[in-house]
Amino acid sequence: MSNEQRATSNETGSTRREVGKHIVTSVLMPPKGRPQSAVLTGVARISEAFARAKSAGHAAFIPYITVGHPDRETVAAVVPALIEAGADIVELGVPFSDPLADGVVIQRSTQAALANGVTLDYCLDEVRSLRRVGVTAPIVFLGYMNPIAQKGEEAFAALCAEAGVDGVIVADLPPEEAGDLRAACARHGVALIAMLAPTSTEKRIAQVAALATGFVYCVGLTGVTGARDALATDLRGYLDRVRARVSVPIAVGFGISRPEHVASVGAMADGVIVGSALVKRLDELPLAERASGAADFVRWLMGE
Amino acid sequence: MVQTRAETADAYLDTLPPPAEFPDARGRYGRFGGQYAPETLMPALDELETAYHEARNDPAFLRKMGDLRRHYVGRPTPTYHAQALSERLGGAQIWLKREDLAHTGAHKINNALGQGLLAKRMGKPRVIAETGAGQHGVAAATVCAMLGLECIVYMGEVDIARQSLNVFRMKLLGATVVPVSSGSRTLKDALNEAIRDWVTNVRTTYYIIGTVAGMHPYPMIVRDFQAIIGQEARAQLLAQAGRLPDVVLACVGGGSNAMGMFHAFVPDVSVRLIGVEAAGRGIETGAHAASIVAGRVGVLHGSRTYVIQDADGQIMETHSISAGLDYPGVGPELAWLADADHAQYVGITDAEALEALQVLSQAEGIIPALESAHAIAHAIKIAPTLPKEAIIAVCLSGRGDKDMGTVADALGVTLT
């Protein structure tokens, strides 16, 4: 029953009015005729971020937060601070009621987000707001298939492109099932970022290599998301197998929670993703210190 | 359809059904099914499919399965003509496929046995399972005890509270029961948690999913191990009633007893297949678990199927008096049977199921599980509308002992 109430309140509340406002704004936003050197979008913006990090001599740092967690103000306050602190790409979690690839920290964050009334439309709105205030770093959604399927693959990809979402990662969408979304994303210049795991066979790595856009998300351990004390011991061998076949950048996530993890993974991969550790940190920070605290946490992870 | 008396019920015990039109090579049943799984599991799903195909073509595996079906499970289970109930209703003849008489008291053992043997064959020492009512958990724990496998069962906290007897049975059988406190704390969350365990321990662990839902190849494997229900019932009706039934009824939560009962009858065009979903407090109240009757197509637990969800695609909490039907999805093949018009689906409320449980208990001396009582309730509803010669075959998927606390509560009786 609470889900129904939630859906109703979202349709009638302030979110709806904001949607309209933002659509108007975003339609007017790309100023035709003005040559834009810096405004890359989608796949190109992601590639550029990896290239820039590489030329600066480090792996791209990619923090994850769940939209609407701990509260609805978080994205607007925290994302600019993460970028200011050195994040190269930002991953935004689109909450789903049944996140079966996530450990308990991200599960709790998505449940809190849903309780805060967060929907896919709200997530798109938050990205529109970030773009409007001048955030130019690549933004990537991470979510599950069902909310996307309800929106429709084509509509979803179109909305991502229009709102300023550059890439999409879907935790329960292996390449076998990704055909429709891949085609829709390709039509709109949005990267559909494939995942690989330590259990992936050579055949599956080759399959992903042939289709990859943006970057490949290498799950760093056999398990669900969540901080671990130590990283997988066979990580290098696994990443070498991926590197041998994949031409786009590879980023590693799952279990990375400490500066020494970031440093050691950063030496092996093109990008380092930190999720649960940051989500947990956000929970501990009072609202007034959330942005500065998140930025401090990112600097600490990056070894500054 | 061939109506031959030569087919006896025990002719099927050493077999699995021949490959069917569906699933196709991609694990699809029309637009349903598939493999919406995290990448980590994809190689394991491939490995499972390969192992299953090898096993089903291995006479030694089939012999072992048949032997245990006979002497451990107690198959074939009878098909019983409920004459007193039929007479009382004054219409069609009701026949009951007595899965309640199988070892552990429900059809769940058919699948647990098959997959347990598969786990053993694949050399996986550790078995995990999810359970709602506890029947699948008990069946998995039973088979693991017999085969010497470690067994961990995930169960929602809400279900643990309403099925404490089955929790105790699982522990007695040597299984570890892990309470699941996430989400709605029922079957769907137990499935999520089992999948998370499998993602983490996939190399050593076999996941015995309890129903025809989930990612390919599970809906096919579970169907094949459950198909013995309908194969036997069909042969028994031909032998005992002299003809095929007009209607076949089964309750549908995830749908394993329904798929098992229906599978042998799908080619029989004269047989109407009706799946009975849990209408809970009434479809209009929103407090139900009727995925096909009242859900929309979506993706849940690795499969595209009918799902009870809100406008944003969030899975909604369901309600049924019976824990085993309290699930927001349904097996993809049952969804396809609806699309193809091979089966119809109806809803039965908590109150109707409770009433049917009492009617069957008093008319026939058989106390059905609350899940099965949903199918009985629909038989009670339609029997008077059909001629006396008509035959309704109902899958009595389990016995009611586990539900006595719930039933007593609902009837306002205090058990001491």
Side-chain angles (χ1 to χ4, degrees):
Chain A
M1 290 315 293
S2 61
N3 283 335
E4 273 187 356
Q5 287 158 3
R6 190 188 303 145
T8 310
S9 69
N10 288 335
E11 278 163 22
T12 55
S14 58
T15 312
R16 170 56 66 89
R17 286 196 301 278
E18 281 178 9
V19 171
K21 192 175 70 184
H22 290 180
I23 284 171
V24 172
T25 312
S26 62
V27 165
L28 296 175
M29 203 168 56
K32 281 190 182 156
R34 180 152 58 113
Q36 286 288 329
S37 52
V39 186
L40 295 170
T41 61
V43 178
R45 180 145 61 186
I46 292 170
S47 306
E48 200 250 341
F50 276 102
R52 203 172 41 214
K54 191 174 184 179
S55 64
H58 61 84
F61 186 78
I62 310 174
Y64 163 100
I65 65 173
T66 299
V67 176
H69 165 267
D71 53 44
R72 292 169 69 102
E73 284 70 47
T74 302
V75 165
V78 170
V79 169
L82 295 174
I83 294 164
E84 181 65 31
D88 297 285
I89 296 173
V90 175
E91 246 183 54
L92 293 180
V94 178
F96 179 51
S97 53
D98 293 77
L100 49 75
D102 282 305
V104 68
V105 170
I106 292 181
Q107 280 175 50
R108 286 200 186 122
S109 76
T110 55
Q111 275 179 21
L114 291 172
N116 289 334
V118 171
T119 60
L120 178 51
D121 285 332
Y122 176 84
C123 296
L124 288 160
D125 262 349
E126 289 294 278
V127 176
R128 290 186 189 103
S129 300
L130 290 171
R131 294 305 184 205
R132 214 178 36 210
V133 300
V135 170
T136 55
I139 295 176
V140 170
F141 270 176
L142 195 155
Y144 288 81
M145 191 56 201
N146 196 49
I148 297 170
Q150 297 314 306
K151 186 68 77 186
E153 283 87 344
E154 171 62 28
F156 172 72
L159 285 164
C160 284
E162 169 264 315
V165 176
D166 303 299
V168 178
I169 306 164
V170 188
D172 57 351
L173 193 72
E176 285 86 341
E177 303 293 349
D180 289 350
L181 187 57
R182 187 182 305 117
C185 284
R187 276 194 291 277
H188 294 280
V190 174
L192 179 61
I193 293 149
M195 301 182 94
L196 284 170
T199 53
S200 299
T201 55
E202 292 300 324
K203 191 178 153 199
R204 297 191 62 80
I205 294 171
Q207 190 181 3
V208 161
L211 297 164
T213 56
F215 64 95
V216 168
Y217 188 136
C218 289
V219 175
L221 49 82
T222 308
V224 295
T225 58
R228 307 292 200 281
D229 289 336
L231 297 173
T233 48
D234 54 352
L235 190 58
R236 183 176 292 278
Y238 154 52
L239 294 179
D240 284 347
R241 284 197 295 135
V242 175
R243 180 81 79 188
R245 295 191 185 267
V246 171
S247 55
V248 297
I250 60 177
V252 178
F254 283 42
I256 298 168
S257 60
R258 309 188 50 78
E260 55 270 31
H261 298 166
V262 174
S264 71
V265 172
M268 292 183 261
D270 306 306
V272 183
I273 302 164
V274 176
S276 297
L278 176 58
V279 168
K280 190 160 167 251
R281 184 74 192 118
L282 287 178
D283 260 330
E284 297 160 357
L285 290 164
L287 181 58
E289 295 165 31
R290 203 167 287 150
S292 59
D296 289 344
F297 191 66
V298 164
R299 286 191 202 96
W300 174 71
L301 284 169
M302 294 174 75
E304 287 166 22
Chain B
M1 231 338 93
V2 189
Q3 298 187 16
T4 165
R5 280 167 189 277
E7 292 177 349
T8 59
D10 57 3
Y12 297 98
L13 291 175
D14 306 291
T15 71
L16 286 165
E21 180 189 0
F22 291 113
D24 64 18
R26 296 180 55 220
R28 294 267 173 177
Y29 305 81
R31 61 183 170 136
F32 301 107
Q35 287 184 311
Y36 295 87
E39 171 65 23
T40 306
L41 293 182
M42 294 299 287
L45 293 168
D46 282 351
E47 181 194 4
L48 174 60
E49 190 174 0
T50 303
Y52 173 67
H53 283 297
E54 284 168 9
R56 59 170 292 139
N57 291 310
D58 176 0
F61 178 85
L62 296 174
R63 243 190 336 269
K64 172 107 187 182
M65 178 189 73
D67 186 53
L68 289 167
R69 280 175 165 183
R70 272 186 196 88
H71 306 300
Y72 188 73
V73 176
R75 304 206 72 90
T77 59
T79 292
Y80 167 71
H81 184 188
Q83 279 174 291
L85 177 64
S86 306
E87 243 162 67
R88 186 162 149 177
L89 296 169
Q93 302 306 302
I94 296 174
W95 292 69
L96 304 175
K97 177 57 176 167
R98 298 290 307 277
E99 291 301 296
D100 59 320
L101 295 177
H103 182 40
T104 70
H107 73 289
K108 291 290 186 188
I109 192 79
N110 301 325
N111 168 53
L113 175 66
Q115 290 203 60
L117 288 170
L118 202 50
K120 190 92 180 167
R121 186 188 162 91
M122 291 172 73
K124 306 274 185 183
R126 181 175 179 273
V127 164
I128 56 171
E130 85 296 335
T131 197
Q135 289 302 107
H136 173 57
V138 167
T142 297
V143 167
C144 286
M146 189 252 302
L147 295 175
L149 299 166
E150 183 191 2
C151 183
I152 293 107
V153 181
Y154 289 93
M155 189 170 186
E157 283 179 343
V158 169
D159 292 333
I160 286 179
R162 60 182 165 179
Q163 299 289 347
S164 55
L165 187 61
N166 271 343
V167 175
F168 182 66
R169 290 168 80 193
M170 286 183 267
K171 289 180 178 168
L172 204 58
L173 290 160
T176 305
V177 179
V178 182
V180 176
S181 58
S182 58
S184 61
R185 295 174 292 144
T186 60
L187 179 56
K188 81 170 174 80
D189 309 286
L191 256 145
N192 290 337
E193 211 54 41
I195 293 171
R196 289 180 190 122
D197 180 314
W198 202 33
V199 168
T200 307
N201 302 297
V202 62
R203 290 185 170 102
T204 58
T205 299
Y206 186 102
Y207 176 23
I208 302 189
I209 198 166
T211 190
V212 288
M215 47 291 255
H216 177 72
Y218 279 113
M220 170 184 74
I221 291 175
V222 178
R223 174 198 71 194
D224 287 358
F225 285 130
Q226 291 291 3
I228 188 70
I229 303 173
Q231 291 173 324
E232 285 179 7
R234 191 174 181 280
Q236 288 165 327
L237 284 163
L238 288 174
Q240 295 169 237
R243 66 183 191 85
L244 288 173
D246 301 279
V247 178
V248 171
L249 288 179
C251 64
V252 178
S256 71
N257 93 90
M259 209 52 245
M261 183 72 172
F262 290 173
H263 190 58
F265 291 103
V266 170
D268 297 318
V269 289
S270 68
V271 178
R272 275 173 62 199
L273 306 175
I274 304 179
V276 184
E277 296 194 312
R281 300 195 183 96
I283 300 288
E284 70 288 352
T285 67
H288 62 80
S291 315
I292 299 179
V293 169
R296 294 199 320 279
V297 176
V299 175
L300 178 63
H301 295 141
S303 189
R304 186 181 288 272
T305 185
Y306 285 102
V307 176
I308 298 173
Q309 55 185 316
D310 70 10
D312 192 44
Q314 306 299 338
I315 310 308
M316 294 173 70
E317 289 190 19
T318 52
H319 165 79
S320 170
I321 192 170
S322 79
L325 302 185
D326 204 349
Y327 178 63
V330 65
E333 189 165 9
L334 288 157
W336 175 77
L337 288 174
D339 255 25
D341 221 16
H342 288 331
Q344 296 168 280
Y345 296 86
V346 298
I348 284 290
T349 64
D350 291 350
E352 289 170 321
L354 255 180
E355 173 69 20
L357 179 142
Q358 296 168 80
V359 169
L360 185 68
S361 299
Q362 286 159 27
E364 295 288 351
I366 298 170
I367 303 177
L370 275 169
E371 291 79 10
S372 324
H374 284 72
I376 300 291
H378 195 64
I380 291 173
K381 220 179 235 186
I382 63 172
T385 70
L386 296 170
K388 279 194 161 43
E389 318 76 69
I391 295 175
I392 301 174
V394 185
C395 184
L396 190 69
S397 55
R399 68 178 185 225
D401 306 40
K402 69 181 172 62
D403 294 318
M404 290 303 96
T406 307
V407 173
D409 273 357
L411 299 177
V413 176
T414 308
L415 301 177
T416 51

